[in-house]
Structures are given as structure tokens and as C-alpha cells.
Amino acid sequence: MIDTDVAIIGGGLMGTSAALELRRQQRSVVVLEQGWCGAQASGVNYGGVRRQGRAACQLPLSQRAHAIWRRLEQTIGSDGEYIASGHLKLARSDADMQELIAYREMAAAYGLELELLEAEALRRRYPWIGKQAYGASLCAEDGHANPRLIAAAFARAAEQAGARLLQQSAVRECSFDGNYFVLINSRGERVRSRFLLNCSGAWGKEIAEHFGDTVSEQAIYPNMCVTEPLPPLMNLSLGVVGGAFYARQVERGNVVLGGGRGIGNLALDATRPRASSSFKALAALTEMVPALRNALVIRTWSGVEGETPDHQPVIGPSATTPGLLHAFGFSGAGFQLAPAVGEVLAELVTKGESSTPIDAFSIKRFAVQQPSKEESRV
Ligand SMILES: Cc1cc2nc3c(=O)[nH]c(=O)nc-3n(C[C@H](O)[C@H](O)[C@H](O)COP(=O)(O)OP(=O)(O)OC[C@H]3O[C@@H](n4cnc5c(N)ncnc54)[C@H](O)[C@@H]3O)c2cc1C
């Protein structure tokens, strides 16, 4: 039996960032990962490190994460190719522009500064933007990073800080006796802990329901492409109102772009890109950046992510089981948030509360209202 203060199911960014922070606070930690740490969503995503566009309820957490991204190298020993390049969200119509104007006003209340650019100013500053662009909103300090490097670096940092990482170690059984959780993995090892963190991404619902929590989460498969290396052109991460595409150019010259959905099967652990989604995203991108018209796509892929109906993650205590904490269902936007989620989970373990508001992410929001006896009478 392996005894530990905290057991974590899932070695993606949520699990490993929590493990790292818990080690800093002298808690013993075991991470159980069914495959390899960071090989799922955390390591294959687009790499957008963006606050712009997030719902109001996510902005405090996202701002907290932003502060950690800025000192990432001290935190995990690698910059993971993170650059605060800026994030430019394009409008294609007056209605889009009105949306950006309203968002800017809302975001200002959370300390997020955005600069609005009308068509002429936009093209003067970024001559490579096409004539179809109506305007844009710039978040100068948002940026992008290499998810493969970041996910591996968090796992390595957690291990170096003393967390025990059990890889190729799927949790097959878990139980709670009122004091301790006991997990049994695919290698037959038993782990006993006071706290259990459900950081199992698209598989989060399975674990939550096992403990009687009610939740709605479905698997989604965002579609991704990367082009051949091209001469430097786009010096920031690009998005568009409505989300038809998102794109960034890395230092080596390749343009990474996403948009639409691939296909997959969670039970078989299989994800595939979809050609029609790749073509659509490419068409939407080249409409806004005509110079990329002849760019050659050299690889396409997808990954699996958990999505909730309101597109907000589940973060916080279980509604049924003391000591069980959830962090899953990031709905395609958890990469930027991950370092702050790790800190919040560590606070919940060590202090019993989060210093950043997380009420909007409570699992209790899914609980079906039971009709009263009066109402249930026919
Ligand atoms: C293609 C794609 C593009 C994206 N682009 C962006 C972006 O640009 N910006 C952004 O902010 N977010 C983006 N996201 C979302 C972001 O990647 C995720 O929200 C984030 O990585 C979720 O981290 P996680 O640790 O919750 O999940 P994961 O990385 O999926 O980790 C969960 C882990 O749990 C493990 N696990 C599950 N069940 C068990 C079990 N029973 N036993 C042991 N281990 C188990 C899994 O193997 C997995 O490794 C994207 C996602 C995808 C798929």
C-alpha cells in the first residue's frame, strides 16, 4: 500500500500543476496517469495562452494564471517557448465589432486591458491582414506557448519537487471509507490518501459519477493543422469572432491553426482530424491573412477534451464526498488556466478554500432539482 496525503487521477496539466504546488506546501502526492503525463489534451492543444474572450466568471482565475505564465521559467525550469506576443481577435462585420466593444467594457472591470482597432488602423499596424477584416481587439500581453514542452515540464517539475508519478497506471477502482480514499491501478498497486483530486480531463465525469456526483460532460475533439515553415509574417496569436479559426506562427516559421472538430472515441482512446474541418479553418484563415493562401499543411491532428453545457469547467469540492476535489471539463480552454487551477486545488487541500472565486465552477450546478413531495403528486 502506498500512503500519501493527496492522490491525483490524471497527469495532464491540471494534475501536475496541482502536484507541484502541493509539494511546495510539503504535502505528499501521488499522481496516477493511465498513459504518459501530458500526452492527452495538455500536450496536443493549440497552445493559446489567452485571456481575451473568456467569460467574466473565468477572468479572475485567468488573471491569476497570467501572473504565473509571466514567471514560468522560475516555476517549471523551462519557458516552454511561451511568448507574450499579443492576441488579436478579428471582427468581420459591424455586429462582430459591437461584440468586441461590449467585451472590452466588461473585461476592464477585471483589469484586462484591450485595445480596439478600426479597419484602417488595423491594416496600418498589421499590413498582412486582409481587406475582409472590419476591425479587431488586441490584448497585448496574451500569447502562446508550445504545449508539448509545457506539459512535460510541469510533470518533470512536480517529480523533481518530490511528487511520485505513476505512469501507465490507470485507476481501475476507487473507494472512500469515510476517512481515506483507496485506489487500485492497472498494475494492482494500492494507493491510500486523505484527499483525492479528479483531474482526469474528458474522463472526469466517469470518476465524479462513481462518487455519486451529478455532472454533464461530453468529449469533444478540436481539429488542428500545422503548415510547412514559412517566412516570418504573423507576430501574434490570431482569432476571430465566432471562432472559425485560430492561428499562430512559431519561431521556426510553421503556422499552427485550429478550428472546427475532428472525430474520436473516448472509450477506444482514439482521436482523428477531419479533412473538412481543416479545409474550412484554412479557408477562414486565408480570407483574413491572404499571404497564407498557398501555405502547405504538413500535419493534422486532434485531441480529446471534456466539454460542459455552459462551457465552464468543474473546479472545487465534490457535492457528495468530503476530500474529493474536481478539476475537469475545461471545454477547450484549460491550457492557459492550468497553473492557477493547480494553485487553487492546493489551497482547497491546505486551507479548505480558494482565494480566487470559483463558485461558478461548482459541480452543484448540475444537480437536478428533486421535485418536492407536493409537486411530485400526480
Ligand atoms: C486540440 C485541442 C486544442 C486546444 N487548444 C487550447 C488552447 O489553445 N488554449 C487553451 O487554453 N486550451 C486549449 N485546449 C484545452 C486544454 O488543452 C485543456 O483544457 C487542458 O489541457 C486540460 O488539462 P487536463 O489536465 O484537465 O486534461 P488532460 O491533459 O486530458 O489530462 C487528463 C489526464 O487524465 C488521465 N486519466 C483519465 N482517466 C484516468 C484514469 N482512470 N486513471 C489514470 N489516468 C486517467 C488521462 O490519460 C489524461 O492524461 C485545447 C484542447 C485540445 C484537445
Side-chain angles (χ1 to χ4, degrees):
M1 178 79 81
I2 303 169
D3 274 301
T4 184
D5 295 327
V6 185
I8 301 178
I9 306 179
L13 276 170
M14 304 306 160
T16 54
S17 64
L20 176 60
E21 191 55 30
L22 283 161
R23 282 305 302 142
R24 288 217 180 92
Q25 307 202 27
Q26 316 301 322
R27 298 305 193 273
S28 55
V29 184
V30 175
V31 178
L32 297 102
E33 166 53 51
Q34 63 188 357
W36 301 110
C37 286
Q40 296 288 348
S42 297
V44 304
N45 64 64
Y46 163 68
V49 184
R50 156 191 75 74
R51 293 164 294 165
Q52 172 160 234
R54 289 181 185 273
C57 62
Q58 278 193 24
L59 286 177
L61 191 62
S62 189
Q63 290 286 46
R64 183 171 179 174
H66 179 66
I68 307 171
W69 278 98
R70 289 169 63 129
R71 53 181 154 79
L72 198 69
E73 199 154 2
Q74 294 108 284
T75 311
I76 57 170
S78 159
D79 71 358
E81 296 179 4
Y82 166 63
I83 43 170
S85 59
H87 175 258
L88 190 68
K89 191 163 185 177
L90 297 169
R92 291 177 290 187
S93 65
D94 185 52
D96 287 357
M97 201 63 199
Q98 294 310 317
E99 200 176 298
L100 294 179
I101 291 168
Y103 185 83
R104 177 177 181 256
E105 203 169 302
M106 181 282 284
Y110 295 88
L112 183 63
E113 281 182 27
L114 301 171
E115 182 187 1
L116 293 170
L117 296 164
E118 306 250 311
E120 207 177 301
L122 176 66
R123 266 184 292 279
R124 213 177 310 120
R125 197 179 304 180
Y126 307 109
W128 44 271
I129 301 263
K131 292 199 169 56
Q132 303 296 325
Y134 187 93
S137 167
L138 173 70
C139 185
E141 282 193 16
D142 278 356
H144 55 97
N146 184 332
R148 285 199 182 280
L149 300 181
I150 295 286
F154 264 97
R156 206 168 39 241
E159 191 167 40
Q160 281 167 0
R164 187 160 173 190
L165 306 187
L166 300 179
Q167 302 188 84
Q168 299 295 308
S169 161
V171 172
R172 296 272 192 244
E173 289 176 41
C174 39
S175 58
F176 180 63
D177 67 5
N179 286 310
Y180 291 97
F181 293 90
V182 174
L183 310 181
I184 305 177
N185 70 9
S186 45
R187 309 197 302 224
E189 292 162 320
R190 285 166 184 265
V191 177
R192 181 169 55 193
S193 64
R194 277 279 187 197
F195 288 90
L196 176 62
L197 272 49
N198 172 15
C199 298
S200 51
W203 297 262
K205 173 181 152 93
E206 223 175 275
I207 309 281
E209 287 183 343
H210 177 78
F211 286 100
D213 274 316
T214 302
V215 66
S216 181
E217 183 195 35
Q218 63 159 348
I220 56 163
Y221 306 91
N223 199 75
M224 303 295 309
C225 314
V226 64
T227 71
E228 62 189 325
L230 298 163
L233 177 73
M234 299 179 358
N235 47 0
L236 35 62
S237 186
L238 208 59
V240 63
V241 175
F245 76 87
Y246 34 96
R248 64 188 181 98
Q249 186 169 27
V250 302
E251 210 184 330
R252 293 172 293 282
N254 313 73
V255 173
V256 183
L257 73 138
R261 296 277 184 259
I263 48 176
N265 183 319
L266 190 62
L268 298 177
D269 191 14
T271 65
R272 293 284 179 273
R274 197 195 292 265
S276 57
S277 298
S278 304
F279 285 126
K280 260 193 202 160
L282 205 54
L285 169 64
T286 53
E287 193 187 5
M288 293 292 124
V289 188
L292 295 176
R293 213 173 25 245
N294 298 320
L296 185 69
V297 168
I298 56 171
R299 190 166 78 86
T300 59
W301 73 97
S302 184
V304 62
E305 165 77 323
E307 184 184 68
T308 63
D310 60 10
H311 299 109
Q312 300 308 323
V314 177
I315 307 174
S318 156
T320 62
T321 312
L324 172 61
L325 302 170
H326 299 295
F328 65 90
F330 285 85
S331 305
F335 183 59
Q336 191 270 349
L337 297 176
V341 173
E343 285 191 356
V344 162
L345 290 171
E347 282 179 345
L348 291 172
V349 167
T350 57
K351 300 184 185 135
E353 60 183 10
S354 163
S355 58
T356 302
I358 53 166
D359 288 353
F361 314 130
S362 168
I363 200 160
K364 291 185 184 144
R365 72 190 193 272
F366 298 99
V368 180
Q369 290 288 317
Q370 293 300 324
S372 68
K373 279 189 182 158
E374 204 62 27
E375 288 168 330
S376 61
R377 240 182 256 146
V378 195

